[in-house]
Amino acid sequence: MRHRTTAQFIRAQFSSLSATGVDYLVTAVLFQFCGIGYVWSTLLGAMCGGLFNGIVNYEWTFRGTSRSKRAVAFRYLIVWAGSIALNTLGVTLLAPLFSSTVGLGSLMSAKVIVSILVGCFWNFLMQKNWVYRR
């Protein structure tokens, strides 16, 4: 049991890191090159990263769940919505603390801190214990 949890945690971190790359890339491109505000860029980046993460987690990280795809998708959407809300709120509150004018550096610094906290204390625990639980 412990080995399976460790393996899942390692796969979840790899999946999360990949999804974070998608999230950060979308956020940075929307903010820096498309002129979209940092709150909306953060929200849309989180949505793209979350979609990527959900697919990878179903197929690879937590494979072997006995839940139907529909049941997993429903639960994942609830956890994902919480993750997006926590990430967006956290970045919205933290980014202005780094600089009086939010730029790409302060946005991404806030995003790193918030995403690590949300990833460890919300995403992994909720996905392991509720979304993909056998």
Side-chain angles (χ1 to χ4, degrees), residues 58-79:
Y58 185 83
E59 297 295 331
W60 183 60
T61 306
F62 297 103
R63 63 182 179 252
T65 183
S66 59
R67 296 189 196 282
S68 69
K69 285 183 180 181
R70 177 177 280 177
V72 167
F74 177 74
R75 288 174 179 233
Y76 184 84
L77 284 173
I78 292 170
V79 173

Side-chain angles (χ1 to χ4, degrees), residues 7 26 37-38 42 48 64 76 85 90 95 97 101-102 123 126:
V26 170
Y38 74 95
T42 298
C48 291
Y76 184 84
L97 298 178
T101 305
V102 176
N123 294 346
M126 291 297 290

Side-chain angles (χ1 to χ4, degrees), residues 27 30-32 35-45 87-97 99-104 106-108 110-111:
T27 299
L30 292 177
F31 181 76
Q32 192 70 24
I36 296 176
Y38 74 95
V39 173
W40 284 106
S41 295
T42 298
L43 175 63
L44 294 170
N87 275 287
T88 303
L89 178 63
V91 169
T92 301
L93 295 173
L94 192 58
L97 298 178
S99 174
S100 59
T101 305
V102 176
L104 186 59
S106 58
L107 168 60
M108 298 313 278
K111 197 160 177 58

